[in-house]
Amino acid sequence: MIRNTKVKAMTGGYAMAEALRQVHPDVMAVYPITPQTPIIETYARMKAGGEVTTEIVQAESEHSAMSATVGASASGARAVTATSSQGLLYMTEILPIASGLRLPIVMCVSSRSLSAPLNIHGEHGDVMVARNLGWVQIFSQNVQEAYDNVIISTKLAETMDIPVMPIMDGFHVSHTTERIEVCTDREVRRFIGTRSAKKTLLNLSDPVTFGPVALQNSYFEFKIDQEKEFENVKKEYKKICAEYEKISGRKYGMFESYRLNDAKYAIVMMGATVGTAKEAIDLLRAKGEKVGLLNMRLYRPFPYEEVGEELAHIRKIAVLDRVMSFGAYPPLYQDVVSSMQHAASRKYEIASYIYGLGGRDTTQSHIKKVFKDLEEGEISEKIKYSK
Amino acid sequence: MNKILTDKLAPGHATCAGCGIPAIVRTVLGAMDEPVIVSNATGCLEVTTTIYPNTSWKVPYIHSAFGNAAATAAGIDAAQKALEKRGKLKKKAKIVAFGGDGGTYDIGLQALSGALERGHDFLYVCYDNEGYMNTGGQRSGATPYGADTETEPAGDLAFGKTRQRKDLMEIVKAHGISYLAEANVAYLQDLKKKAKKALGTSGPSFLLVLQPCTNLWKFPTSQYVNVGKLATETNFWPLYEIENGNYVINYVPRERKPIEEFLKTQGRFKHLFAEKNKKIIAAIQRTVDDNWKKLQKKVSDI
Ligand SMILES: Cc1ncc(C[n+]2csc(CCOP(=O)(O)OP(=O)(O)O)c2C)c(N)n1
Ligand code: SF4
Ligand SMILES: [Mg+2]
C-alpha cells in the first residue's frame, strides 16, 4: 500500500499544533507558558490565516482554561487545551473533575520542571503530579511521536470518554526540529471521525445535571466504575494504535522493547532521553554487552502485567525517572517494582535513578554508567542521581 | 407551587426553610421563555439541589468547582458559537451562571473578570448572603463591617469583621459591560425586571442579589423578606442598575430608616448593641450614608 504522507521538518511544538489543526477541535481554551506556548501561538496563527475555525478562548489563567475546556466538552464540543509546569498544577483542581465527568478532553503537555527555584526546562515534574487523576498519559520520545500521539489521543479520548494527555519533554522535543512524516488531513479526519457525545448540556430536550453531589452511599461506586473503565483504556489503546498503523505505517504499543529479547541488563524509562539511551545501547551492543531498554509510552493506565512479563527474563534493571520524588521512590520505579510481581521469575535486582532534572542533559555516558553499575552489581536500595 | 415558577428548578431541594436562594433562581430563570443552560459554583445552591441520584434542575446544569462558574460558562459559550458556526447547532441557549458571594467576590473573581473582559455571552448572578454559608458561616469579601462570623468572631477584644465589604458592583462595572444591577430577593418584581434586561443584553451582564440567610445571619425562618426589605429601607442595600454606564436608582425609601433597625434583626450583629460597640454602629451608619450620597452623585453626574 502506498501511504499518503509528506515529510516535513518541524519542532515538537509545531508538530502538536499541526496535529491539532488536522484534528480541528471546536474549542481550544488556553493560557501561555513556556515551553508550551509555541503550540498555541502556532495554532493562533493558523486561525488568523484561515486554516482553522476553532473558537479559541484566551483564558486569564490555566484554571479558567481548563474550566472552559470542561464547559465546552460537557456541551458536546471537541475541546482541547495545552500547558506546562506551573500551568498544569494551576489546573490540577479541575483535572479530576474533567475525568470524573467523563469528558474526552485532549491536553497537550510540554513537560517542564516545577518551581522553586524557577526553571523552564524539560523534566516530568508536572505530569507526575497529575498521574493518578483519571487522565490517560502518553509519552513521546521525539517529534514524530508528539505528532502521532495527539491524533491517537483524540481518538482514544472520544472512544472512551476519558481525557488524555499526550506528553512531550519540554525543549528536548518541543523546541527541537526533526523531519517527520505527516498524514493527510483527509486521512486524519477519517481516522478520528467526529465526536458524538451521549449526553450534553446543549441537548435541551434531555436536560442533564453534570457534577452532582454524591454522598457516602454512592461516591465510592462512582469511583470504582470510573476505574473499571480506565482499565479498559489499555485494550482500546492497542486497537487504536493498530488502526493508526494502517494510515501512518508507524507501529505503536503500550511500550517499546529495544534490544530486550536476549538482554541481561535493562533500563526502563520514557520521554525524550530514550533516543540517547538507544544510541548508547547500540554502542554497548557492538562491544558484545547484553543491554536493552523498555520505553514506556502508555504511562497511565500503567500496564503492570505486560511490563512484568516483558522484563521477566531480565536479572538486573535500572529504572530512570525524570522527576524528583521527595521522601519516596520515584513514580516509574515504583510502577516497575509493582510490575515485577507479575514476572514469572522473581530473581531480579532493581535500581532507581533520577536524571535530567531542570533540563539537565543526559548523555550516552550517563546511560553507560547505569549499565556499568548493573553489570558490576552496584545495585542498592538507594536512589542514585544521574547528574 | 406555581408551575411556571418550578418548571426550571423543581420544588424538591434541601435549602434551609426560609432560604431566599430558590426565589432568586426561579425569578431570574422565569424572566425568559428561551431555553437556558446553568453553570453553578460550589455553595448552598449547588449542594442543596443536586444530591445524587436526585436533581432539582429541569434545565441543563453543570457544577464544576467553587471558583470557576464564569469560566465554565465561557466554555459553554465557546462551544455554542463553534457548533453554530459549523452547522451543528440551530439555536443557542441562554447561559446563566450562579455563584455565591464567596464564589464571586473571592475565589471566582479572576474567572469572572476574565469572562467579562473576553465578552462572553452570559448572565452572571451572584446571590450574596455575605459569607461562606455552605461551610458554616465564615467571613467573605462580602461580609459587612462589624458582622460576627466563624472566622472573624466577635469577642471581648473583637467586634467581628474589621474591614468594609468589597464594592463588587464597581469592580464589575470597570469591565465596561453594558448591563449590571444590584437587586434584593425581597423585591422580586424589581429583580424580575432586571433579569429581563440582563438576559436581553448581548455579551456579558451581571446581577448582584442580596439573599438574607436565615441560618447564619441568625433570624427566624419566616423573616427573610422583612430582613431583606430593611436592608434596602436603611440604604444598606440600594436597588440600582448601571445601563451603558448610566446609573439609575430604582427605589428611594420615603424616609431612610436608621441602620439599627436592620442590624437588630440579626444575631450576627447582636454584639454591636453592647455599650462598648455603640461607636461601631455609628461608623456603620456613617458608611451607609456616605455610600448613598456617592451613589446619588453617580446618578446626577451622568
Ligand atoms: C477550592 C475550594 N476551596 C474551598 C472550598 C470549600 N467551600 C465550599 S463552598 C464554600 C463557601 C461558599 O460560599 P459562597 O460562595 O458565599 O456560597 P454560599 O455557601 O454562601 O451559598 C467553601 C469555602 C471548595 N469547595 N473549593
Ligand atoms: S445556610 Fe443560608 S444560604 Fe444556605 S441554604 Fe441555609 S439559609 Fe440558604
Ligand atoms: Mg455566601
Side-chain angles (χ1 to χ4, degrees):
Chain A
M1 184 179 116
I2 301 162
R3 279 181 286 114
N4 291 320
T5 49
K6 270 187 277 184
V7 175
K8 288 184 184 171
M10 60 181 84
T11 62
Y14 192 95
M16 280 200 170
E18 171 67 5
L20 286 174
R21 182 189 65 72
Q22 298 183 309
V23 163
H24 206 193
D26 299 305
V27 175
M28 173 189 264
V30 284
Y31 192 80
I33 183 167
T34 305
Q36 171 279 117
T37 315
I39 304 174
I40 64 168
E41 287 178 350
T42 305
Y43 203 82
R45 276 195 300 274
M46 288 169 172
K47 182 162 182 196
E51 291 175 76
V52 292
T53 60
T54 303
E55 273 294 315
I56 302 180
V57 179
Q58 301 289 356
E60 81 298 332
S61 72
E62 286 88 352
H63 193 279
S64 286
M66 180 48 69
S67 300
T69 310
V70 164
S73 187
S75 302
R78 175 174 287 163
V80 303
T81 183
T83 196
S84 293
S85 185
Q86 306 303 121
L88 191 141
L89 266 66
Y90 209 28
M91 289 178 176
T92 310
E93 188 201 6
I94 312 303
L95 297 182
I97 295 172
S99 56
L101 293 178
R102 301 290 306 270
L103 300 176
I105 292 166
V106 172
M107 170 156 74
C108 298
V109 181
S110 185
S111 70
R112 165 186 151 180
S113 58
L114 301 175
S115 294
L118 188 146
N119 174 290
I120 60 167
H121 293 281
E123 61 154 78
H124 302 153
D126 48 10
V127 286
M128 284 303 163
V129 172
R131 70 188 186 279
N132 294 338
L133 299 179
W135 283 65
V136 176
Q137 293 185 317
I138 306 174
F139 280 79
S140 321
Q141 62 174 307
N142 52 33
V143 176
Q144 181 72 65
E145 291 192 13
Y147 166 83
D148 292 331
N149 281 338
V150 173
I151 298 165
I152 290 169
S153 294
T154 306
K155 174 96 174 173
L156 182 61
E158 292 180 3
T159 313
M160 298 294 302
D161 281 332
I162 288 177
V164 184
M165 254 180 242
I167 301 162
M168 62 180 165
D169 288 40
F171 289 98
H172 288 101
V173 176
S174 69
H175 287 60
T176 302
T177 302
E178 288 171 16
R179 289 170 67 77
I180 69 163
E181 280 187 15
V182 177
C183 305
T184 65
D185 293 0
R186 239 183 98 230
E187 265 168 345
V188 171
R189 286 174 190 167
R190 199 166 48 195
F191 176 69
I192 56 173
T194 49
R195 180 178 173 204
S196 61
K198 289 180 206 84
K199 301 265 180 193
T200 91
L201 287 171
L202 303 198
N203 186 351
L204 303 164
S205 56
D206 176 22
V208 184
T209 292
F210 281 83
V213 176
L215 299 176
Q216 295 89 324
N217 59 354
S218 61
Y219 182 87
F220 208 157
E221 281 70 26
F222 268 110
K223 292 294 124 179
I224 292 171
D225 287 352
Q226 195 184 336
E227 166 60 14
K228 268 194 203 140
E229 270 303 279
F230 200 62
E231 277 304 308
N232 290 335
V233 164
K234 290 189 275 189
K235 212 171 62 210
E236 198 58 40
Y237 173 78
K238 284 193 275 190
K239 218 172 94 194
I240 288 170
C241 286
E243 285 170 36
Y244 188 63
E245 190 186 346
K246 287 190 201 136
I247 65 161
S248 68
R250 289 180 293 282
K251 198 178 178 66
Y252 290 118
M254 296 190 289
F255 46 77
E256 172 196 19
S257 298
Y258 189 74
R259 308 193 83 161
L260 206 57
N261 266 348
D262 62 337
K264 276 194 186 152
Y265 311 100
I267 281 178
V268 183
M269 67 192 306
M270 54 199 182
T273 317
V274 163
T276 309
K278 284 179 180 169
E279 286 163 19
I281 286 168
D282 289 345
L283 291 174
L284 294 173
R285 280 276 179 177
K287 290 191 207 153
E289 293 183 32
K290 296 233 178 277
V291 294
L293 171 98
L294 189 96
N295 165 32
M296 289 305 305
R297 285 207 180 92
L298 183 68
Y299 181 60
R300 283 291 182 272
F302 195 88
Y304 289 101
E305 214 177 319
E306 295 85 347
V307 167
E309 279 162 17
E310 196 69 12
L311 294 172
H313 65 289
I314 309 286
R315 290 291 163 269
K316 293 182 179 177
I317 302 164
V319 182
L320 274 61
D321 274 271
R322 199 174 187 193
V323 59
M324 185 52 86
S325 177
F326 302 102
Y329 284 110
L332 182 58
Y333 175 83
Q334 288 192 32
D335 291 324
V336 175
V337 169
S338 301
S339 294
M340 297 312 284
Q341 295 177 355
H342 297 284
S345 151
R346 295 198 177 204
K347 278 185 258 135
Y348 64 89
E349 289 175 273
I350 182 161
S352 174
Y353 289 79
I354 289 174
Y355 74 100
L357 297 191
R360 180 75 53 90
D361 271 339
T362 302
T363 63
Q364 289 184 14
S365 59
H366 290 96
I367 302 292
K368 286 180 190 161
K369 172 73 169 75
V370 172
F371 281 120
K372 192 158 174 269
D373 288 353
L374 292 184
E375 287 165 9
E376 292 177 358
E378 273 187 45
I379 299 174
S380 75
E381 310 233 303
K382 244 182 115 184
I383 299 164
K384 297 195 183 79
Y385 299 122
S386 181
K387 297 188 285 175
Chain B
M1 206 177 270
N2 187 325
K3 246 210 143 96
I4 296 167
L5 283 179
T6 56
D7 70 346
K8 286 164 183 158
L9 181 70
H13 55 74
T15 57
C16 304
C19 174
I21 293 178
I24 295 173
V25 174
R26 292 195 179 116
T27 304
V28 171
L29 299 185
M32 66 176 154
D33 300 325
E34 291 128 281
V36 66
I37 300 169
V38 169
S39 162
N40 189 191
T42 311
C44 277
L45 172 60
E46 168 260 331
V47 301
T48 57
T49 55
T50 65
I51 300 172
Y52 182 85
N54 301 311
T55 178
S56 313
W57 295 92
K58 297 180 178 177
V59 295
Y61 168 98
I62 183 167
H63 160 253
S64 169
F66 186 16
N68 67 357
T72 308
I76 301 168
D77 177 50
Q80 291 207 103
K81 284 177 179 151
L83 295 175
E84 188 182 50
K85 197 161 56 185
R86 292 181 176 183
K88 293 180 194 163
L89 180 67
K90 280 196 202 80
K91 193 178 171 346
K92 290 188 282 188
K94 289 273 169 195
I95 303 164
V96 179
F98 288 99
D101 47 289
T104 310
Y105 286 70
D106 295 343
I107 199 165
L109 185 61
Q110 171 181 308
L112 173 63
S113 172
L116 296 177
E117 182 267 335
R118 291 189 300 272
H120 291 288
D121 209 349
F122 78 122
L123 163 61
Y124 191 103
V125 181
C126 173
Y127 64 93
D128 187 346
N129 51 32
E130 306 192 320
Y132 299 161
M133 300 329 195
N134 177 46
T135 44
Q138 298 83 19
R139 92 193 275 286
S140 79
T143 303
Y145 180 78
D148 177 32
T149 59
E150 293 299 321
T151 44
E152 210 176 342
D156 284 347
L157 298 176
F159 61 85
K161 192 168 175 207
T162 58
R163 303 284 301 168
Q164 300 293 342
R165 46 186 286 123
K166 279 185 205 177
D167 189 344
L168 185 62
M169 286 291 285
E170 285 300 313
I171 294 172
V172 171
K173 179 192 173 261
H175 292 78
I177 68 172
S178 44
Y179 187 79
L180 65 155
E182 183 163 291
N184 181 337
V185 67
Y187 298 82
L188 287 179
Q189 283 313 315
D190 176 75
L191 174 60
K192 189 172 177 185
K193 219 172 63 202
K194 288 170 175 171
K196 271 205 161 91
K197 276 195 189 177
L199 289 160
T201 307
S202 75
S205 55
F206 178 80
L207 295 177
L208 180 61
V209 189
L210 186 71
Q211 179 251 313
C213 166
T214 162
N215 188 20
L216 295 153
W217 289 16
K218 303 190 177 91
F219 58 79
T221 53
S222 59
Q223 290 302 307
Y224 86 81
V225 173
N226 288 337
V227 172
K229 285 229 153 83
L230 282 169
T232 295
E233 293 287 345
T234 54
N235 284 346
F236 173 86
W237 193 271
L239 306 183
Y240 69 103
E241 59 194 338
I242 310 173
E243 207 168 348
N244 300 316
N246 299 323
Y247 288 74
V248 176
I249 297 177
N250 310 105
Y251 178 78
V252 182
R254 210 172 303 156
E255 199 180 332
R256 174 306 255 130
K257 293 201 162 91
I259 193 65
E260 281 94 335
E261 297 210 11
F262 173 64
L263 302 178
K264 74 178 182 206
T265 58
Q266 302 155 56
R268 63 175 175 155
F269 295 120
K270 198 167 156 216
H271 60 288
L272 297 183
F273 292 88
E275 196 51 41
K276 61 170 177 153
N277 285 334
K278 282 271 154 70
K279 57 183 188 308
I280 304 294
I281 294 185
I284 295 174
Q285 185 66 70
R286 273 197 305 277
T287 309
V288 165
D289 292 342
D290 281 358
N291 286 347
W292 177 253
K293 262 187 229 132
K294 280 184 205 151
L295 181 62
Q296 283 179 314
K297 192 163 179 313
K298 286 174 195 161
V299 175
S300 60
D301 274 356
I302 307 292

